[in-house]
């Protein structure tokens, strides 16, 4: 199944980035958004409690504050993950990520290693994993779904990572 061609203002780095790669490429602003989301949950609960006090005592608010903190952390993490993914897709400014990606994958290409890792999964399973997770960051509101699979479908021409633009023939 071909990757849907989307015109973007910035270059595409990876149409379906691996979970660990998205985390490695997060910026400090993404982490700040995650921290803000984490703090926002309990802050809203306390503001609500101040505006409309319940009969709960201070120690009874503890479990609710912990739960709202966890929900805030989850929401902040999903938002930060989505922001990082948008840069991989070229939907937002991604110069830093483009340079880091080129350096990382060119190094792997010079060493003769596979660019996106190895897996024991069949091509059918790799394709199914790709089809299930591509652009899944847009659906976080309904189902948080991440790409944990290693597959060769990333929507970019990998020849740019090899010196001289020539990809060595792969042996089976």
């Amino acid at each position: 199944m071909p990757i849907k061609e989307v015109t973007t203002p910035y270059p595409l780095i990876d149409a379906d980035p691996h979970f660990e790669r998205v985390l490695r490429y997060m910026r400090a602003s993404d982490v700040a958004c995650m921290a803000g989301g984490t703090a926002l949950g309990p802050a809203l609960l306390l503001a609500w409690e101040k505006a409309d006090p319940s009969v709960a005592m201070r120690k009874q608010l503890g479990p609710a504050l912990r739960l709202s903190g966890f929900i805030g952390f989850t929401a902040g993490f999903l938002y930060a993950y989505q922001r990082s993914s948008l840069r991989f897709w070229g939907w937002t400014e991604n110069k830093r990520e483009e340079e880091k990606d080129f350096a990382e994958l060119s190094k792997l290409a010079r060493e003769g290693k596979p660019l996106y890792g190895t897996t024991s999964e069949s091509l059918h399973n790799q394709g199914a994993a790709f089809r299930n997770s591509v652009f899944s960051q847009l659906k976080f509101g309904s189902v948080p779904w991440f790409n944990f699979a290693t597959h060769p479908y990333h929507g970019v021409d990998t020849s740019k990572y090899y010196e001289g633009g020539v990809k060595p023939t792969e042996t089976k």
Side-chain angles (χ1 to χ4, degrees):
M1 179 176 168
I3 297 174
K4 180 179 172 104
E5 292 291 327
V6 179
T7 305
T8 61
Y10 303 98
L12 172 71
I13 297 172
D14 195 337
D16 190 24
H18 194 275
F19 179 81
E20 292 175 0
R21 199 161 181 231
V22 173
L23 293 183
R24 277 196 332 261
Y25 282 57
M26 275 190 183
R27 294 181 180 182
S29 62
D30 298 330
V31 176
C33 287
M34 187 170 26
T38 303
L40 189 63
L44 287 174
L45 183 63
L46 287 173
W48 193 352
E49 179 65 25
K50 189 166 185 86
D52 186 19
S54 66
V55 293
M57 293 189 294
R58 205 39 127 168
K59 67 179 182 178
Q60 292 172 322
L61 282 178
L65 288 171
R66 284 191 291 276
L67 178 61
S68 65
F70 174 74
I71 292 170
F73 171 78
T74 303
F77 172 78
L78 292 175
Y79 181 62
Y81 190 93
Q82 186 179 51
R83 284 173 45 111
S84 184
S85 295
L86 293 177
R87 287 191 293 274
F88 273 100
W89 298 335
W91 293 11
T92 58
E93 186 278 318
N94 64 358
K95 187 68 173 165
R96 183 178 146 238
E97 288 76 10
E98 186 181 8
E99 292 168 356
K100 188 174 179 179
D101 168 73
F102 188 79
E104 179 182 327
L105 295 186
S106 294
K107 181 181 179 217
L108 290 173
R110 281 192 303 274
E111 294 172 355
K113 296 180 181 175
L115 296 181
Y116 297 105
T118 59
T119 183
S120 60
E121 294 293 329
S122 69
L123 282 177
H124 172 75
N125 287 349
Q126 291 177 40
F130 159 72
R131 288 186 297 277
N132 286 329
S133 65
V134 69
F135 296 118
S136 63
Q137 294 85 332
L138 298 175
K139 301 172 257 185
F140 276 163
S142 57
V143 178
W145 195 280
F146 305 99
N147 175 24
F148 292 111
T150 301
H151 59 73
Y153 313 108
H154 295 273
V156 294
D157 180 17
T158 58
S159 64
K160 66 182 178 182
Y161 301 116
Y162 296 91
E163 293 176 346
V166 178
K167 183 176 180 178
T169 58
E170 295 179 1
T171 58
K172 290 192 176 191

